[in-house]
Amino acid sequence: MTLKYRILIIVGLILASAAALFPRNVKERVKGPNGFVYDTVRRVPLKRGLDLQGGMHLALEVDESKGIVPKKSEAIDRALKVVRTRIDQFGVSEPLVQKSGNDRIIVELPGIDDPQRAQEVVQKSAFLQFQITDKTQALEKALPRLDAALKNRGATPAVASTATRDSAGSSSASGVAGLFTKDTAKKPAGDSAKADSAATPTSGAFSKLIQQGQMPGEYYVADGDMPTLELYLAMPAVQAALPPGKVIRFGSDSTQLANRWYRAIYVLDARPIITGEFLTDAKPNTSPTEGTIVEFQFNNEGGRRFRNETSKHIKDFMAIVLDDRVMGRPPVIQSAIGSRGQITMGGKGLQDASDLALVLRAGSLPTPLKIAEIRSIGASLGQDSVSKGITAGIIAVLLIVGIMIVYYRFSGLLAVLALSLYMLFTMATLAGFGAVLTLPGLAGFVLSIGIAVDANVLIFERIREELAHGKTVRTAVDEGFKHAMSAIIDSNVSTALTAAVLYQYGTGPVRGFAVTLLAGIAASMVTSIFVVRTFYMIWLNRSKSTQALSI
């Protein structure tokens, strides 16, 4: 190859490297002074990994406490796609989501400093159902059976005392139905109590806990009685006594009344009129009357089914159930509903609505996941690592520059000039392939600086030998590059194979080290062989009369 084309190739590589390192936009999530997390765009030349900018490391496993999962590896594969989609929509810059072994998912979220929120987004099942509230008073009809079941279990005396441990609260609870359903202030207390007693039997352990709400299928339970009710509902005898074809679901809202908090529970038709499998889009919004909401949209098939089903239930109340919890108060169906609807967040903020929307868009998890390991890495540690890594790199470069110039003089200077291009090419290669710079990556970069001059050391020693045999400078340079080539290729190929194995089987930072090492080897081959040879050719062409080579 002629000198002219060599120079053009080197100039082209320098321009391409500058273009690759030109800062580009990267979306990151930043926590504001008010605690609200928002997306922002930063311009960076090279993306940094978890260990350099801080963040979270999560290990997720299948949660078999909720049922045996027969094929965990396949379940992890399906869950991996959902988790990756959620993380992508979470807005994290350069997240890592990958399978580890047959039963674990590794999630690394650089720049995330809100662990609780990240866990909720990753773990939420997001199974969405639309169910009609019961209008047949099935629970009232089943109350005698439920009370009898508890009485037969022998739980009535002990638990009843727990349920009514707060006498003032009990009194308040017995009147809560009237407060929720009618204006008792205009009626004598005795009449109100009689009306309440007629509406809902209160003699049994189960009956004492619940008070009828304002709509069909709606009931209220005092916050202090929630553990007792959940204990009852978990009993097989109570489950067997529940009305067939109906399910009981807890509401997401609490209501304060007379200094006491009450939770809503709903009796719903077990068969959902539609599920979230047809959902195609969801986005957060705010409404002047309902506060924060999540608007959703079904596909054509889902919209058709939703319209058909809602047309059969005009004037009924429809509960929107997410992960077995009723979101907000069930709205009444005024007319057939098409492909669009909304979920009321019940006083929760816009960030909760945003998280729910992204989870709905990503779909529900095929199997429940649990957190097996969680680690937070502080940003200060990352900054400290960057500073130390840069210091180590500067010291390594200065030592190599000093040794090469002192020992090989003019030829060492050519190697140092090539070394500066080596660093440029290596960083550009990392940026061009979208690699993430990690702490081991920094170590790999510093290591590869030393490797970069190895080839030149081999070449220079061969040139010395050729000069010692009395050959001319031009011939010695040609022979030196020719005979040193096999040794250079052998050493670089073996290092490259090692890096390739690390990349294939390593995870996270280990991969970062392998990528940096591979990029460094490629760049060193170009600079130590092609660039230094070009420098020699330029020097020989400009000093044809000079026969002495400083090496």
Side-chain angles (χ1 to χ4, degrees):
M1 184 181 293
T2 64
L3 180 60
K4 177 183 175 183
Y5 288 114
R6 282 177 169 268
I7 293 174
L8 286 177
I9 290 174
I10 293 173
V11 171
L13 288 174
I14 293 173
L15 293 176
S17 299
L21 288 171
F22 190 79
R24 56 262 176 93
N25 294 335
V26 173
K27 189 170 75 172
E28 294 182 347
R29 292 189 73 84
V30 176
K31 194 170 187 177
N34 57 355
F36 187 78
V37 180
Y38 57 92
D39 291 337
T40 185
V41 175
R42 290 182 57 195
R43 294 181 67 79
V44 296
L46 194 62
K47 290 167 273 190
R48 293 176 299 164
L50 180 71
D51 50 357
L52 294 185
Q53 64 171 319
M56 286 188 58
H57 171 95
L58 295 171
L60 305 171
E61 290 181 348
V62 174
D63 186 2
E64 293 190 287
S65 64
K66 300 177 181 178
I68 300 297
V69 178
K71 297 180 179 178
K72 279 197 285 188
S73 181
E74 294 180 9
I76 284 289
D77 287 337
R78 295 196 302 273
L80 184 66
K81 296 178 182 177
V82 177
V83 172
R84 182 172 287 133
T85 305
R86 290 182 182 183
I87 295 301
D88 288 343
Q89 297 193 16
F90 194 61
V92 183
S93 173
E94 293 305 313
L96 171 71
V97 182
Q98 65 182 22
K99 185 179 178 183
S100 177
N102 290 323
D103 58 353
R104 183 171 279 206
I105 295 175
I106 301 297
V107 179
E108 292 186 348
L109 307 173
I112 293 297
D113 58 356
D114 190 348
Q116 186 62 36
R117 178 167 177 253
Q119 288 180 55
E120 289 176 355
V121 168
V122 171
Q123 284 186 289
K124 188 171 283 185
S125 297
F127 185 59
L128 186 64
Q129 302 176 88
F130 297 81
Q131 294 170 280
I132 302 299
T133 62
D134 172 57
K135 55 186 177 184
T136 63
Q137 294 187 316
L139 184 61
E140 283 89 335
K141 296 173 184 175
L143 281 176
R145 294 201 308 271
L146 293 166
D147 290 335
L150 288 173
K151 186 176 182 179
N152 292 337
R153 298 283 298 178
T156 303
V159 181
S161 62
T162 303
T164 57
R165 58 188 176 276
D166 184 352
S167 59
S170 178
S171 170
S172 175
S174 65
V176 71
L179 294 172
F180 280 127
T181 58
K182 60 193 74 171
D183 183 7
T184 56
K186 297 179 181 178
K187 294 185 177 183
D191 291 347
S192 177
K194 187 183 294 183
D196 293 339
S197 178
T200 305
T202 58
S203 57
F206 196 98
S207 304
K208 284 183 177 179
L209 299 182
I210 62 171
Q211 303 295 327
Q212 190 167 8
Q214 292 176 291
M215 66 176 65
E218 184 184 51
Y219 301 86
Y220 284 92
V221 181
D223 246 8
D225 292 332
M226 283 293 293
T228 305
L229 184 63
E230 289 176 332
L231 179 66
Y232 287 164
L233 291 175
M235 293 179 177
V238 172
Q239 291 180 3
L242 288 173
K246 308 294 178 186
V247 293
I248 293 179
R249 296 286 180 253
F250 292 98
S252 60
D253 299 340
S254 295
T255 301
Q256 188 178 22
L257 186 68
N259 296 324
R260 294 199 71 194
W261 285 94
Y262 293 87
R263 295 283 300 275
I265 64 170
Y266 297 93
V267 180
L268 310 173
D269 292 346
R271 186 188 74 85
I273 60 174
I274 194 172
T275 67
E277 64 178 311
F278 303 103
L279 194 141
T280 58
D281 191 21
K283 58 184 179 182
N285 208 339
T286 55
S287 166
T289 56
E290 297 173 287
T292 309
I293 59 175
V294 173
E295 297 174 334
F296 60 85
Q297 183 173 2
F298 288 120
N299 59 18
N300 292 336
E301 183 182 356
R304 186 171 59 254
R305 291 191 184 191
F306 201 37
R307 187 178 297 105
N308 291 338
E309 290 291 340
T310 51
S311 65
K312 300 174 186 174
H313 294 281
I314 303 295
K315 301 301 178 188
D316 288 344
F317 292 87
M318 179 182 68
I320 301 172
V321 185
L322 180 70
D323 293 341
D324 293 338
R325 189 169 293 276
V326 177
M327 304 298 293
R329 294 201 72 205
V332 63
I333 301 174
Q334 301 291 356
S335 61
I337 305 172
S339 60
R340 293 178 180 274
Q342 68 179 42
I343 299 172
T344 304
M345 294 301 294
K348 293 185 177 179
L350 190 60
Q351 182 169 300
D352 291 310
S354 177
D355 288 348
L356 175 59
L358 79 85
V359 169
L360 290 174
R361 287 196 300 271
S364 60
L365 284 173
T367 184
L369 298 176
K370 65 179 180 181
I371 300 288
E373 180 187 359
I374 179 169
R375 283 187 281 118
S376 294
I377 299 174
S380 57
L381 175 63
Q383 185 57 47
D384 186 54
S385 302
V386 171
S387 301
K388 289 183 178 178
I390 292 174
T391 303
I394 291 173
I395 293 173
V397 169
L398 290 177
L399 284 175
I400 289 171
V401 168
I403 291 171
M404 293 299 290
I405 292 179
V406 169
Y407 194 71
Y408 293 109
R409 292 167 288 182
F410 175 73
S411 296
L413 179 63
L414 297 184
V416 168
L417 291 175
L419 187 65
S420 62
L421 289 181
Y422 157 79
M423 290 188 284
L424 175 67
F425 293 164
T426 302
M427 300 304 288
T429 303
L430 294 175
F433 283 97
V436 180
L437 188 62
T438 62
L439 185 58
L442 271 178
F445 181 65
V446 174
L447 175 64
S448 63
I449 290 174
I451 295 175
V453 295
D454 269 358
N456 287 128
V457 170
L458 291 172
I459 294 168
F460 294 164
E461 292 299 325
R462 289 295 305 193
I463 292 175
R464 275 183 171 180
E465 290 179 8
E466 300 298 333
L467 290 173
H469 286 96
K471 295 183 180 177
T472 64
V473 171
R474 187 178 296 275
T475 304
V477 169
D478 291 341
E479 292 295 321
F481 275 93
K482 179 181 176 181
H483 294 300
M485 191 62 69
S486 58
I488 294 171
I489 291 176
D490 284 349
S491 61
N492 281 286
V493 166
S494 59
T495 308
L497 287 174
T498 304
V501 172
L502 287 175
Y503 179 82
Q504 178 64 32
Y505 297 102
T507 60
V510 176
R511 276 194 161 192
F513 174 81
V515 169
T516 309
L517 197 55
L518 284 170
I521 291 169
S524 71
M525 294 284 282
V526 172
T527 55
S528 60
I529 298 173
F530 186 81
V531 174
V532 173
R533 179 72 180 273
T534 305
F535 287 165
Y536 270 126
M537 292 174 69
I538 294 173
W539 175 71
L540 289 170
N541 282 356
R542 291 176 61 86
S543 56
K544 293 181 180 177
S545 59
T546 304
Q547 296 299 319
L549 174 62
S550 176
I551 189 168

